[in-house]
């Protein structure tokens, strides 16, 4: 018998905010040591009341618009009651009755064709803490407690692991490009609801939920294992399927039962009386829409039209800092292809030397554009452009002033270059002889000596061409 896999996802995404959802503690990324980003409010001290973070609402609405959702202009919070050591209040503030976004749609393209995935809802909620198991002891780190999340709940519309991965990668690209979330491991976690039914059947099978998956590779492996487990149970009666929550063990590649699947009644939801309803009026809604990032498909088409490669497009879209900087630099008047080379190659090289990543890039569009324009116009050569960029990234100097102070903008005529070449050749007779005897590397040594004498002034391409002629 042929079977059909039915999958629905609940994806938790940590939002890019400077503080937590209901208090002024810094976001989870600011924590350096366990429990150093905690206050009486997020640690559940008696008498402390939550205060809503406005930025969370704006990012949630932005995410909803990106996923073609209907936005609830009246939205409320509820308490989800359960006890676990990493939940200090013994309840989680979330949304049940009036979630912020509903009825969305994501279009996917896979090797099997195209499919629309329906979004049931997006709701805002606070994260729980983290349990750290050391030997027989279990320690609690509350740094992550009350970090803002959105949970994106789909309808059971996926039919393969491939569709799930395409969907998650699309969310990741959209949210990174739009500044919603970095979606790094831990900041994007997924609960996979899976069942199996005979092909052609309309009735759902017994559903199991695989909890808290952070790795896309692990999600794919878990889906394949769990689907096969269900099919074996139906076909060969290897076990009785029950609705339950399971965990995936990465080492064995298998899922294991955790507990029976809870129902809504088990959590005893009720409205949170400490938080007033949020009303998104027309003025606020229009302000959020005005700040919406461009759709990634549209941005990708723009970049392709500018001659930017697919690999470069992927890197740009995956990093909000880079895409924002690139757009601003192009807006100032730089060539897009030239700007991409400077940002993804030259900036990345300086950052790597200092032990940083491209996501750590911090340079104003004005300074970046000034360097690119000076090089592209021939005011300075590329080598001195690199030196200027390094000084800007490491010391935040003014590019134009740095160029002037170091004499990078001085011009040199061909007669001066030729005179310096004659001097270099006269002083480097051994390298000249080596070149004439067929040692190609000797020419590079002579070129380097010319550049040192010129102190980096002049166009390297012109100097190289003149040296070639001089050497015959």
């Amino acid at each position: 018998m042929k079977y059909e896999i039915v999958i629905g996802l609940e994806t938790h995404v940590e939002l890019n905010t400077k503080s937590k959802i209901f208090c002024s503690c810094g976001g989870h990324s600011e924590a350096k040591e366990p429990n150093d980003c905690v206050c009486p409010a997020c640690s559940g001290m008696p008498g402390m009341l939550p205060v809503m973070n406005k930025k969370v609402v704006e990012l949630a609405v932005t995410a909803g618009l990106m996923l073609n959702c209907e936005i609830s202009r009246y939205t409320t919070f509820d308490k989800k009651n359960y006890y676990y050591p990493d939940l200090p209040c013994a309840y989680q503030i979330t949304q049940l009755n009036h979630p912020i976004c509903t009825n969305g749609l994501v279009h996917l393209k896979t090797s099997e064709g195209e499919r629309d995935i329906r979004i049931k809802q997006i709701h805002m909620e606070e994260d729980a803490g983290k349990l750290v198991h050391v030997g027989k002891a279990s320690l609690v780190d509350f740094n992550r407690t009350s970090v803002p999340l959105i949970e994106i709940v789909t309808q059971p519309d996926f039919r393969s692991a491939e569709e799930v991965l395409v969907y998650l990668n699309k969310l990741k690209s959209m949210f990174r490009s739009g500044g919603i979330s970095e979606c790094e491991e831990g900041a994007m976690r997924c609960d996979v609801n899976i069942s199996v039914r005979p092909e052609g059947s309309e009735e759902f099978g017994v559903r199991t939920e695989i909890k808290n998956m952070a790795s896309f590779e692990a999600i794919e492996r878990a889906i394949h294992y769990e689907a096969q487990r269900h099919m074996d149970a139906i076909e060969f009666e290897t076990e009785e399927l029950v609705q339950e929550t399971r965990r995936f063990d990465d080492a064995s590649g298998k899922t294991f039962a955790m507990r029976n699947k809870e129902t809504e009644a088990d959590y005893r939801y009720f409205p949170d009386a400490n938080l007033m309803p949020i009303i998104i009026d027309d003025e606020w809604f229009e302000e959020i829409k005005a700040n919406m990032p461009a759709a990634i498909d549209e941005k990708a088409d723009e970049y392709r039209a500018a001659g930017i490669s697919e690999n470069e497009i992927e890197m740009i879209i995956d990093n909000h800092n880079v895409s924002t900087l690139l757009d601003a630099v192009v807006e100032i008047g730089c060539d897009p292809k030239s700007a991409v080379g400077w940002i993804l190659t030259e900036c990345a090289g300086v950052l790597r030397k200092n032990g940083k990543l491209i996501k750590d890039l911090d340079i104003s569009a004005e300074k970046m554009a000034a360097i690119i324009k000076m090089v592209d116009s021939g005011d300075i050569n590329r080598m001195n452009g690199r030196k200027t960029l390094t000084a800007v990234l490491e010391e935040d100097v003014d590019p134009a002033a740095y160029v002037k102070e170091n004499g990078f903008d001085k011009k040199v005529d061909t007669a001066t270059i030729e005179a310096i070449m004659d001097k270099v050749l006269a002083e480097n007779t051994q390298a000249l002889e080596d070149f004439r005897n067929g040692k190609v590397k000797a020419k590079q040594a002579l070129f380097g000596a010319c550049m040192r004498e010129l102190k980096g002034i002049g166009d390297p391409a012109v100097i190289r061409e003149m040296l070639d002629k001089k050497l015959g």
Side-chain angles (χ1 to χ4, degrees):
M1 183 184 292
K2 287 187 175 182
Y3 294 96
E4 180 180 58
I5 305 170
V6 179
I7 303 168
L9 297 183
E10 299 166 16
T11 308
H12 301 79
V13 177
E14 186 178 301
L15 300 178
N16 270 347
T17 57
K18 293 180 180 178
S19 57
K20 294 184 178 181
I21 186 170
F22 298 123
C23 68
S24 59
C25 286
H28 181 229
S29 60
E30 290 190 15
K32 300 295 183 291
E33 299 290 336
N35 296 307
D36 71 348
C37 210
V38 179
C39 72
C42 59
S43 59
M45 293 294 117
M48 301 305 297
L49 298 176
V51 178
M52 185 64 205
N53 184 340
K54 182 180 179 184
K55 185 67 175 177
V56 174
V57 180
E58 293 174 344
L59 290 178
V61 171
T62 302
L65 292 172
M66 293 171 95
L67 300 181
N68 306 299
C69 291
E70 298 171 8
I71 308 302
S72 303
R73 308 292 284 275
Y74 174 92
T75 186
T76 61
F77 284 95
D78 303 279
K79 289 183 177 181
K80 178 181 180 181
N81 295 272
Y82 65 97
Y83 175 74
Y84 208 63
D86 61 8
L87 197 67
C89 294
Y91 62 82
Q92 179 189 34
I93 301 177
T94 183
Q95 293 190 292
L96 174 71
N97 296 310
H98 299 98
I100 188 76
C101 310
T102 55
N103 302 325
L105 198 72
V106 178
H107 187 70
L108 303 183
K109 292 180 181 178
T110 71
S111 62
E112 298 292 321
E114 300 187 15
R115 176 185 289 278
D116 287 333
I117 303 299
R118 294 169 297 159
I119 304 294
K120 178 184 177 184
Q121 69 182 55
I122 300 175
H123 57 264
M124 301 176 285
E125 64 184 21
E126 60 178 346
D127 206 346
K130 180 181 180 182
L131 286 178
V132 181
H133 304 289
V134 182
K136 294 183 178 180
S138 291
L139 308 177
V140 186
D141 180 2
F142 287 125
N143 282 333
R144 201 173 65 186
T145 305
S146 209
V147 163
L149 302 175
I150 52 172
E151 181 174 342
I152 304 154
V153 183
T154 75
Q155 298 288 1
D157 289 345
F158 300 96
R159 296 295 177 265
S160 68
E162 182 194 2
E163 289 179 357
V164 168
L165 295 187
V166 170
Y167 166 82
L168 291 174
N169 275 301
K170 186 163 188 174
L171 287 192
K172 184 176 178 180
S173 294
M174 292 170 78
F175 290 164
R176 278 185 167 180
S177 176
I180 305 293
S181 173
E182 288 305 313
C183 294
E184 294 172 340
E185 191 163 330
M188 185 177 187
R189 308 191 298 273
C190 202
D191 298 340
V192 180
N193 292 279
I194 183 169
S195 64
V196 167
R197 64 187 178 188
E199 200 171 69
S201 173
E202 293 297 318
E203 187 176 339
F204 291 123
V206 176
R207 174 169 58 99
T208 57
E209 180 182 29
I210 312 169
K211 290 289 286 185
N212 222 21
M213 307 281 289
S215 158
F216 288 4
E217 180 189 0
I219 289 170
E220 182 177 24
R221 291 171 65 207
I223 290 172
H224 288 313
Y225 173 82
E226 190 66 9
Q228 189 61 53
R229 186 180 76 87
H230 279 235
M231 286 186 277
D232 289 346
I234 297 168
E235 189 79 18
F236 305 113
E237 298 182 354
T238 53
E239 60 181 301
E240 182 184 356
L241 293 176
V242 295
Q243 184 171 314
E244 62 184 355
T245 299
R246 299 178 70 87
R247 66 174 180 87
F248 177 71
D249 178 65
D250 199 58
S252 65
K254 298 179 180 180
T255 65
F256 295 92
M258 291 172 63
R259 58 183 183 268
N260 288 341
K261 184 81 176 79
E262 295 91 346
T263 65
E264 194 174 291
D266 294 325
Y267 290 120
R268 296 174 290 113
Y269 284 95
F270 62 87
D272 191 328
N274 295 324
L275 285 161
M276 295 293 289
I278 296 170
I279 298 173
I280 303 172
D281 61 19
D282 291 344
E283 182 181 354
W284 190 15
F285 189 52
E286 291 303 319
E287 182 185 326
I288 295 170
K289 289 201 294 184
N291 293 320
M292 276 283 294
I296 57 168
D297 293 339
E298 294 175 11
K299 292 300 298 181
D301 288 341
E302 285 180 25
Y303 295 144
R304 288 188 194 98
I308 299 170
S309 72
E310 291 298 324
N311 283 342
E312 289 171 332
I313 290 171
E314 186 176 340
M315 291 174 68
I316 295 163
I317 285 175
D318 270 358
N319 193 295
H320 181 61
N321 280 355
V322 170
S323 59
T324 303
L325 177 62
L326 175 61
D327 291 344
V329 166
V330 171
E331 184 75 23
I332 291 170
C334 293
D335 174 70
K337 196 166 175 57
S338 176
V340 167
W342 277 96
I343 294 171
L344 294 184
T345 303
E346 307 297 354
C347 287
V350 177
L351 291 167
R352 191 162 49 248
K353 185 184 73 173
N354 291 294
K356 297 180 179 180
L357 301 173
I358 192 69
K359 69 183 181 66
D360 302 315
L361 180 60
D362 183 17
I363 182 173
S364 72
E366 291 73 21
K367 289 184 177 181
M368 188 79 251
I371 297 169
I372 296 170
K373 285 183 174 182
M374 284 190 284
V375 174
D376 287 354
S377 65
D379 291 339
I380 61 173
N381 62 42
R382 194 172 185 91
M383 182 175 67
N384 287 332
R386 290 192 193 104
K387 291 178 182 177
T388 306
L389 176 65
T390 300
V392 171
L393 289 176
E394 293 181 349
E395 304 167 35
D396 197 27
V397 301
D398 177 76
Y402 186 82
V403 164
K404 196 167 189 64
E405 286 168 13
N406 289 274
F408 294 162
D409 57 344
K410 290 179 180 176
K411 302 297 179 183
V412 59
D413 56 40
T414 55
T416 303
I417 295 173
E418 193 161 357
I420 286 173
M421 279 184 184
D422 290 337
K423 177 175 178 287
V424 167
L425 294 176
E427 293 174 353
N428 294 270
T429 53
Q430 185 60 54
L432 182 59
E433 186 180 342
D434 288 345
F435 173 72
R436 287 172 176 162
N437 289 331
K439 292 185 178 179
V440 179
K441 286 184 178 179
K443 185 173 75 170
Q444 184 61 32
L446 293 168
F447 171 75
C450 291
M451 291 300 293
R452 283 192 295 275
E453 286 290 329
L454 287 162
K455 294 182 172 57
I457 300 168
D459 186 340
V462 172
I463 295 166
R464 195 180 293 278
E465 184 182 351
M466 290 179 67
L467 182 61
D468 286 344
K469 288 179 181 178
K470 180 74 72 175
L471 295 173

